[in-house]
Amino acid sequence: MSRNLVSAILFGAGVFAGGGAMAENCLKVTLTGTQGGPPVFQGQAGAGTLVQYGTVENKCNDVRLQFDTGRGTTQRLSQAGVPVGRLDAVFLTHLHSDHTEGLADMMQLRWHFNSGGPKVDLVCSEETKSPLGFSLSCERFARHIGDALIKSGEISQRLAENKKRLPGGPADLIEVKDFKPEEEAQEVWSKGDVKVSAIRSTHIAGHASYRVDTPAGSVVIGGDAGNDTRKPPRKTSTSDQVEKLAKGADIVVHSTIHPVMGPDGGTGFPPPIYFRQSNATDLGGLAKRAGVSHLMLTHLIPPVGAPRQGPYKLPDGALTEDDYRSSVVDSGFEGEITVGSDLASVTLTQEN
């Protein structure tokens, strides 16, 4: 068996290399949103990654997994040719709104047209207490996902139009499968040849990073993970747990902050927020040490072409893709680099 990288930056679905007659299985990774944090720049969708597995003949479409659901996820999935009603599972790295606020939209649409089921698995960390004493709960988030629509009367109005819809609204279509993130990877979901494992990682309480393993290849979704040590001195800004999870993987998808946002860059960006993110150069080092062949940078802070990150202006003007790529190359990483834009994708195939 051998794995071939079919394409690095594709837009839309169903693009495969020649010689597909020999290919059996394929793994496709699509960035459904690359906006870094809560701001909005030129209509970019919020954080999210679609992972598909199947055969070349069915365009890798046997299993469809969505990791994080930032704003605009429904629109990007539509452009990728994956209706929300056909997702097998949704995985949340953490409960920051820029990674979750698209889920209500997705589930309301699913409730409209797929109330007969099946339910979608929502895989996430179990309720976790913050160091400040409050609790972060994926289960409560799911249970109350449609509350605004219930309180406004919309759910009742639409039920009156179609009694086949579920009476509890979109929450009735979610099957929460939470887990306790641990120091070692654990399997948290599977379907056929597709296995998903998770590991504890540091960003906010309850943050987890994921790895998807298939016969066609493997991908790690780091989320917003950073090093357990939240400020210098430290060897790297990246997560030791993500590096462990990434050993031998083919692709790593990870949130990225450019070094220009650091304390010496003149942007005024808050150092505590900068230091809890993984910077582009250190991500290249992680990928090199883990033996990863392709690094996909997403959740870019700042976005390519943006003169500022939220209120924080870049003194020397907007960054380019080459600025991000050069920062990664400075680490010595020699693999493929995708500087993420919405709907950029990478496809791996398994050949006889």
Side-chain angles (χ1 to χ4, degrees), residues 96-350:
H96 267 160
S97 61
D98 57 309
H99 290 251
T100 64
E101 60 194 347
L103 185 61
D105 176 39
M106 293 168 60
M107 294 311 303
Q108 177 69 356
L109 182 59
R110 193 161 174 144
W111 179 81
H112 270 287
F113 299 109
N114 302 93
S115 271
K119 293 185 176 184
V120 64
D121 291 338
L122 180 63
V123 184
C124 47
S125 172
E126 67 180 18
E127 184 166 332
T128 307
K129 183 162 285 190
S130 159
L132 297 176
F134 56 85
S135 293
L136 291 156
S137 172
C138 175
E139 189 276 331
R140 287 203 308 273
F141 177 64
R143 187 178 353 127
H144 295 286
I145 197 84
D147 280 8
L149 300 176
I150 292 170
K151 295 295 184 182
S152 73
E154 179 177 352
I155 296 298
S156 295
Q157 186 267 329
R158 292 195 181 275
L159 282 170
E161 295 173 346
N162 183 349
K163 292 183 170 38
K164 291 183 180 179
R165 290 175 176 144
L166 295 171
D172 282 355
L173 277 170
I174 298 177
E175 186 72 44
V176 176
K177 296 192 172 181
D178 57 9
F179 62 93
K180 182 180 180 181
E182 302 282 4
E183 293 295 330
E184 299 295 329
Q186 59 180 306
E187 185 176 302
V188 294
W189 192 90
S190 66
K191 182 178 180 180
D193 289 333
V194 178
K195 314 285 185 200
V196 182
S197 53
I199 199 167
R200 180 198 72 78
S201 45
T202 292
H203 182 61
I204 64 170
H207 192 283
S209 301
Y210 297 93
R211 173 170 173 152
V212 183
D213 286 294
T214 78
S218 55
V219 55
V220 168
I221 293 92
D224 286 5
N227 198 271
D228 287 352
T229 301
R230 305 303 291 266
K231 61 182 179 179
R234 56 187 181 175
K235 290 189 290 187
T236 180
S237 62
T238 56
S239 165
D240 294 339
Q241 295 82 13
V242 171
E243 186 168 335
K244 184 190 303 184
L245 195 66
K247 291 289 185 185
D250 297 290
I251 303 168
V252 166
V253 179
H254 209 292
S255 67
T256 312
I257 196 164
H258 193 276
V260 74
M261 302 304 294
D264 299 328
T267 64
F269 194 74
I273 299 178
Y274 175 76
F275 289 128
R276 77 179 184 188
Q277 299 282 348
S278 293
N279 72 55
T281 304
D282 288 347
L283 283 167
L286 179 153
K288 181 179 180 180
R289 293 188 298 272
V292 171
S293 58
H294 198 118
L295 177 61
M296 300 183 78
L297 307 180
T298 188
H299 191 279
L300 300 178
I301 301 176
V304 169
R308 61 181 65 242
Q309 171 71 18
Y312 305 104
K313 186 176 180 180
L314 278 67
D316 297 322
L319 300 183
T320 66
E321 287 189 17
D322 283 343
D323 289 322
Y324 273 100
R325 192 170 284 108
S326 295
S327 289
V328 174
V329 170
D330 285 345
S331 70
F333 178 65
E334 297 178 347
E336 298 289 332
I337 303 166
T338 295
V339 180
S341 57
D342 290 10
L343 296 180
S345 69
V346 173
T347 301
L348 304 175
T349 61
Q350 177 192 42

